[in-house]
Amino acid sequence: MIRRCQTGQANLTAILIVVGVIVTLVWIWKRLSPETQDFLVEQAVPITLLGLAAAAALWATIRPIRRRRRRRRERERLMAAFQRETSPDKRLDLAFALVEVNDYRLEGLEPVAPALKEVFATTLQKALGDKQHKIRGMAASHLGVLQDKSVVPLLLKALEDDHAYVRSCAALGLGRLRAVEARDKLAEVMKEDWDQTVRSRAREAWERLG
């Protein structure tokens, strides 16, 4: 309740400031000479708008570059932490974070790709039971990012997991791998699985096979 009140007060303050600025600008405009008004309309305003457009274009160019640099620094930090870490649980968390911060792409992760594969494959095989289905599922989908076809048998087996979330993630992983050898199994799953999400994921993966 306190936070809502503070937000409401902040919004009211912002509105009052905007209204005050508009009133001030109108007051100043009315006291300018006609010559000054004409100058502003004909020259100053267009130049200002052109400058703002140029600044916006420059910002649109710089912003993605800065974002990529931040992502690269974060990726390097996580890679170093992943390589140093010895705790299996923390190592798995760092592996998930690495793939996610890299926008689910392999590029840039090549130095640690074999280690990531080992972590995800081990997790998919050993994180058993219903309580760990989310971890199994994440491991399955992240395996597909690494573009290593040797994990296809693991993902095919995961398509038969008791939990629908794991099956849908396995289909996602196979789609990311473009594993053509999974075509028949994906076709079967997208027709026969009782879960709609699993069927949709299997169809998406099947369509990515070309």
Side-chain angles (χ1 to χ4, degrees):
M1 182 64 71
I2 293 175
R3 185 173 297 175
R4 287 184 179 179
C5 291
Q6 291 174 342
T7 302
Q9 291 174 354
N11 291 338
L12 179 60
T13 301
I15 292 171
L16 291 174
I17 290 173
V18 171
V19 171
V21 169
I22 293 173
V23 170
T24 301
L25 290 174
V26 171
W27 184 85
I28 294 173
W29 178 261
K30 288 183 176 181
R31 280 153 181 77
L32 296 174
S33 66
E35 293 80 7
T36 303
Q37 290 179 350
D38 291 342
F39 171 78
L40 291 174
V41 171
E42 295 174 2
Q43 298 187 36
V45 171
I47 291 173
T48 301
L49 292 176
L50 184 61
L52 290 174
L58 181 62
W59 174 248
T61 302
I62 293 175
R63 188 177 182 185
I65 295 174
R66 295 180 62 186
R67 188 185 300 119
R68 285 195 295 269
R69 287 178 178 175
R70 286 196 301 269
R71 186 172 60 199
R72 185 171 62 251
R73 287 195 296 268
E74 180 65 7
R75 182 180 67 206
E76 291 171 354
R77 184 188 70 81
L78 289 171
M79 284 175 62
F82 175 76
Q83 290 171 318
R84 291 194 307 266
E85 187 57 59
T86 56
S87 167
D89 290 341
K90 292 181 179 179
R91 194 169 168 82
L92 177 61
D93 290 340
L94 287 167
F96 285 145
L98 256 175
V99 173
E100 289 160 13
V101 81
N102 208 47
D103 288 340
Y104 298 89
R105 294 179 298 108
L106 176 60
E107 182 182 359
L109 298 180
E110 291 89 350
V112 293
L116 291 173
K117 171 194 165 185
E118 181 182 356
V119 169
F120 294 146
T122 300
T123 300
L124 183 56
Q125 292 173 298
K126 295 186 177 181
L128 304 177
D130 186 65
K131 292 183 178 179
Q132 298 193 72
H133 71 274
K134 288 188 177 181
I135 295 176
R136 290 201 308 281
M138 289 176 64
S141 65
H142 286 51
L143 270 174
V145 174
L146 303 180
Q147 300 302 306
D148 187 333
K149 293 293 184 67
S150 67
V151 303
V152 169
L154 281 177
L155 295 178
L156 286 172
K157 184 178 180 181
L159 278 178
E160 300 175 354
D161 195 276
D162 291 337
H163 206 286
Y165 177 76
V166 180
R167 298 197 302 277
S168 66
C169 289
L172 176 60
L174 288 166
R176 286 172 169 166
L177 275 171
R178 288 180 168 81
V180 293
E181 54 267 61
R183 185 187 299 275
D184 292 343
K185 182 63 177 179
L186 287 169
E188 176 187 336
V189 170
M190 71 185 191
K191 292 178 182 177
E192 299 183 3
D193 198 281
W194 62 266
D195 186 87
Q196 182 179 354
T197 301
V198 177
R199 294 197 303 272
S200 297
R201 289 291 191 187
R203 180 176 297 278
E204 291 170 6
W206 187 85
E207 290 174 349
R208 293 182 70 175
L209 302 184

